[in-house]
Amino acid sequence: MTAPIDLTRRLGEGWCVTVTPLDPALTLDMMGVRQPAEVPDGLAVASRRIPERLPEVLLLARPAATGGGSVVLEVEGTLGWIGADPDMLGELSEAGTACTINRDPNRVDVLIAEDGDVVAGLSAVTLRRWGDFTDGWNAALADAGFPAGDEEPGDEISRWTPSQCAALALAAVTGVTLDAGLLDGPWLGGLSAGAPA
């Protein structure tokens, strides 16, 4: 198996990636971006911002390379991750499965929403699951090497970092594989004050 992307190595200690079944402009609008615009090098723009001094968060979105829908990137989580807000993720899932992976200093989590509600999740650190996983998600996670129930992690999954495990889980649930090329080049983006109330 090809090594999954390590988002912590690429993006640092804090990041959030959300995959939705919606197109990028609609996804950004739902996440509070009122005037999305082309951002030729989104990651460079994000790295130059000083989020603790700015009340708004930069969200970047682009079409998912596989599976349709959108991939949304946040790297300014000083007030929490918009994509990891359960109400927001639920709204983004009304047209199909939405999934968020995010990292804070001591946690790497996966949240899964479907039909308007967050229904399941897992810790990419402990690999423990909670909630209601569909048979399809369980099978895809097993194929990716994730342990079920009280099973111990196998050798294959144990060699990946928590960030890599989160990327694997996202791919298993949504069919969208994150790769290094995803982070390069132009994005559609804009500023959001946070998830709309």
Side-chain angles (χ1 to χ4, degrees):
M1 169 188 281
T2 303
I5 190 171
D6 188 327
L7 291 167
T8 300
R9 182 169 290 183
R10 291 290 307 273
L11 301 174
E13 295 297 312
W15 46 262
C16 180
V17 176
T18 304
V19 171
T20 81
L22 308 169
D23 72 70
L26 178 56
T27 298
L28 288 174
D29 181 62
M30 291 178 70
M31 295 178 82
V33 176
R34 293 297 164 238
Q35 295 181 330
E38 291 293 327
V39 183
D41 190 352
L43 288 182
V45 170
S47 69
R48 289 191 300 266
R49 287 173 48 85
I50 304 172
E52 61 273 10
R53 294 188 189 163
L54 301 171
E56 297 175 303
V57 175
L58 177 66
L59 297 180
L60 301 170
R62 63 171 21 152
T66 56
S70 300
V71 176
V72 180
L73 175 64
E74 299 175 63
V75 292
E76 302 171 359
T78 56
L79 301 175
W81 303 115
I82 296 171
D85 177 80
D87 291 334
M88 174 54 56
L89 193 60
E91 283 184 39
L92 295 170
S93 75
E94 289 181 359
T97 301
C99 183
T100 290
I101 58 175
N102 64 83
R103 184 186 197 284
D104 288 320
N106 299 311
R107 299 175 56 115
V108 183
D109 293 314
V110 180
L111 292 176
I112 306 164
E114 194 166 58
D115 299 325
D117 291 306
V118 173
V119 296
L122 68 85
S123 164
V125 175
T126 65
L127 305 182
R128 298 285 183 228
R129 301 179 200 183
W130 58 266
D132 298 318
F133 283 80
T134 67
D135 290 342
W137 296 341
N138 280 325
L141 287 166
D143 287 347
F146 286 87
D150 293 330
E151 293 177 7
E152 289 297 315
D155 290 341
E156 186 170 355
I157 198 80
S158 295
R159 68 182 173 166
W160 307 128
T161 67
S163 297
Q164 290 174 303
C165 289
L168 274 177
L170 180 85
V173 170
T174 66
V176 175
T177 301
L178 304 179
D179 60 28
L182 169 80
L183 302 176
D184 299 326
W187 293 77
L188 186 65
L191 298 175
S192 171

